[in-house]
Amino acid sequence: MLISEAEKIIKDTYERRDRSRGVPLTFLHFVEEVGELARSLRSKNKDDIGRELADVFAWLLSVSYLLEIDLEAEFVRYYGKGCPKCGSTPCKCPPLEG
Ligand SMILES: [Zn+2]
C-alpha cells in the first residue's frame, strides 16, 4: 500500500472530524499516540506495538492532509535517494549520540 492510499483511507474515514477539530488539536492527538506507542514498547507485546504504530501513522496522515502537505511526495523528496544528510544507502553518517 502506498502512503497516498493510506491517506485516502484515513481521509475518507475521518476528514470531517479532523477538519472541525483543526490542526493544533489533531497534532495533540498525534503526540498522545506517540506517548501510547512509547508505553507499548515497554510491554514488548507486538500486537499492541503494531496497533500503536498504526495509530501514530494514521494521526500523522491527518495532520499532513490538514496542512495540505503531500506526505508521500515529501517522503520521496527527502528519503527517495537515501540518507538526506550523507546521500548514501545505507547511511554513512556517524552514529547519533544517546
Ligand atoms: Zn547519512
Side-chain angles (χ1 to χ4, degrees):
M1 178 186 285
L2 298 170
I3 294 172
S4 57
E5 293 170 331
E7 182 183 297
K8 184 181 181 331
I9 290 171
I10 297 303
K11 214 170 178 177
D12 288 349
T13 308
Y14 297 114
E15 185 175 17
R16 197 165 55 95
R17 288 179 176 203
D18 287 343
R19 291 213 181 278
S20 67
R21 186 186 310 106
V23 172
L25 283 175
T26 301
F27 181 75
L28 187 62
H29 280 284
F30 165 74
V31 172
E32 284 176 7
E33 289 299 337
V34 171
E36 289 179 22
L37 172 60
R39 280 191 294 281
S40 77
L41 289 173
R42 281 195 228 133
S43 78
K44 301 190 187 330
N45 178 317
K46 282 214 165 191
D47 287 342
D48 289 348
I49 294 167
R51 163 78 193 268
E52 295 304 339
L53 282 168
D55 285 345
V56 166
F57 185 55
W59 283 105
L60 180 65
L61 291 169
S62 290
V63 171
S64 76
Y65 72 67
L66 286 176
L67 292 168
E68 298 180 1
I69 288 172
D70 182 340
L71 187 57
E72 185 170 296
E74 293 301 321
F75 189 88
V76 169
R77 186 155 71 107
Y78 286 107
Y79 293 98
K81 292 182 178 166
C83 173
K85 289 182 183 165
C86 69
S88 296
T89 302
C91 171
K92 292 177 181 166
C93 295
L96 296 174
E97 293 185 25

